[in-house]
Amino acid sequence: MPRSIWKGPYVAVSLLQDVVNLARKHPEWWSKGRFLGQKAPEVISTYSRASTILPDFLACRFGVHNGKSFINVEVQEAMVGHRLGEFAPTKVLPKHKAKESTSVVKKKINPKTGKAG
């Protein structure tokens, strides 16, 4: 069931503070650079996978914890409204061992006799 509209989107307070600090520390990038396609100067590490991505987070880079390590996520316009945790998978799909290839050995044909030998 989705969150009630009257409550608004959930965003961790510490995450908002980190984004505001990034904007204050790099005002040129925040006002112009992020709209021109420049990468964010810093990665904001967070454990808050449940936080909703706001339009103010565009072009910011987040390190979202997946339980073992931080996964880098760069926010794009299509991600607005989704949760940060959706873009940092927690499970690793198992990789099966490759089967040994049983290559068929072609028999060489003797050009003199015309038989395989």
Side-chain angles (χ1 to χ4, degrees):
M1 185 175 350
R3 184 174 168 91
S4 297
I5 293 176
W6 64 269
K7 291 182 181 180
Y10 171 76
V11 181
V13 176
S14 61
L15 187 63
L16 281 175
Q17 289 173 346
D18 290 343
V19 172
V20 169
N21 290 339
L22 177 71
R24 288 182 181 158
K25 194 183 283 188
H26 304 282
E28 310 86 31
W29 176 81
W30 184 260
S31 61
K32 294 180 184 176
R34 68 185 185 136
F35 301 113
L36 298 175
Q38 294 177 358
K39 286 195 170 188
E42 296 178 13
V43 177
I44 300 171
S45 296
T46 183
Y47 290 94
S48 177
R49 298 172 54 84
S51 293
T52 304
I53 298 174
L54 300 177
D56 291 338
F57 295 173
L58 282 178
C60 290
R61 290 187 302 167
F62 293 98
V64 183
H65 199 260
N66 70 347
K68 183 177 181 181
S69 61
F70 289 95
I71 306 295
N72 284 334
V73 175
E74 186 169 350
V75 177
Q76 298 171 354
E77 194 170 349
M79 296 178 177
V80 173
H82 291 270
R83 306 291 176 122
L84 280 174
E86 294 180 38
F87 305 103
T90 57
K91 296 182 180 179
V92 178
L93 297 176
K95 295 182 182 176
H96 301 287
K97 290 184 179 178
K99 292 183 179 179
E100 293 181 20
S101 61
T102 55
S103 59
V104 178
V105 179
K106 293 184 180 181
K107 295 183 178 180
K108 295 183 180 179
I109 299 176
N110 189 346
K112 293 181 181 176
T113 60
K115 294 182 180 178

